[in-house]
Amino acid sequence: MSFRRILPAQFCMLLLAVLAMRLGFPLIMIVPLTGMLMVALFIPWAEIRFLMTGVLGLCTLIWTVMTVMRIELRMAYEQPFIRLAAILGGVALFNAWATWLVWSSRKACAEEQAETRTATPLAQ
C-alpha cells in the first residue's frame, strides 16, 4: 500500500475537522475522532478500506452541501460568490479524488492479499 494514496485522505480528514470546528463542535470531540480516522487508513484490511471509503464519500457529500448552502447565502445577500464556489468546489473535488484513491487502494490491497495466499506453498 502506497503512502501517496493515503496522504490525500488524511488531509481530507483534517479538512473535515476544520469544518467541524468552524460549525462550533467542541475541540475535545474533534481531535480524537480525526486521529482515529487517520490511523484507520493505515490498516491494510480491505474491510477497513471499504469503511473509510464510505467516510470519505460522506465527507464529499458534506462539502458539496456546504458549498451549495454558502453560495445560496451569499447570493441572498447579493455578495460575490464565484471565488467561494471555486474554493469549496475544489475542496469537494479533492475529497472525491481522495475517496477514489482509497477505493482503488482497497481493491489493490485485496488483490495483494489474494496473491500472497496463492503464492505461499502449503506447509507439509
Side-chain angles (χ1 to χ4, degrees):
M1 179 61 197
S2 175
F3 181 71
R4 289 176 288 183
R5 289 182 174 267
I6 295 175
L7 191 61
Q10 290 185 335
F11 188 65
C12 289
M13 291 293 128
L14 290 175
L15 285 173
L16 184 65
V18 169
L19 177 64
M21 287 179 11
R22 171 108 170 103
L23 295 176
F25 289 100
L27 184 66
I28 192 101
M29 288 174 37
I30 295 168
V31 171
L33 181 62
T34 304
M36 287 188 304
L37 288 173
M38 289 174 68
V39 168
L41 283 166
F42 283 113
I43 299 173
W45 299 336
E47 295 83 12
I48 299 295
R49 298 297 170 136
F50 182 74
L51 177 70
M52 291 309 297
T53 301
V55 169
L56 288 169
L58 184 64
C59 290
T60 303
L61 183 65
I62 289 170
W63 278 109
T64 304
V65 169
M66 182 61 62
T67 302
V68 171
M69 288 174 45
R70 296 287 173 159
I71 289 173
E72 287 177 351
L73 184 67
R74 288 265 180 116
M75 289 175 75
Y77 288 121
E78 298 177 357
Q79 295 178 343
F81 62 90
I82 301 286
R83 189 176 69 176
L84 175 75
I87 292 169
L88 291 180
V91 171
L93 286 174
F94 182 77
N95 272 277
W97 177 65
T99 303
W100 177 77
L101 283 177
V102 171
W103 177 257
S104 62
S105 71
R106 180 194 68 87
K107 291 193 291 187
C109 181
E111 289 172 1
E112 285 178 12
Q113 288 178 353
E115 287 176 9
T116 306
R117 281 187 228 130
T118 58
T120 55
L122 295 174
Q124 296 181 7

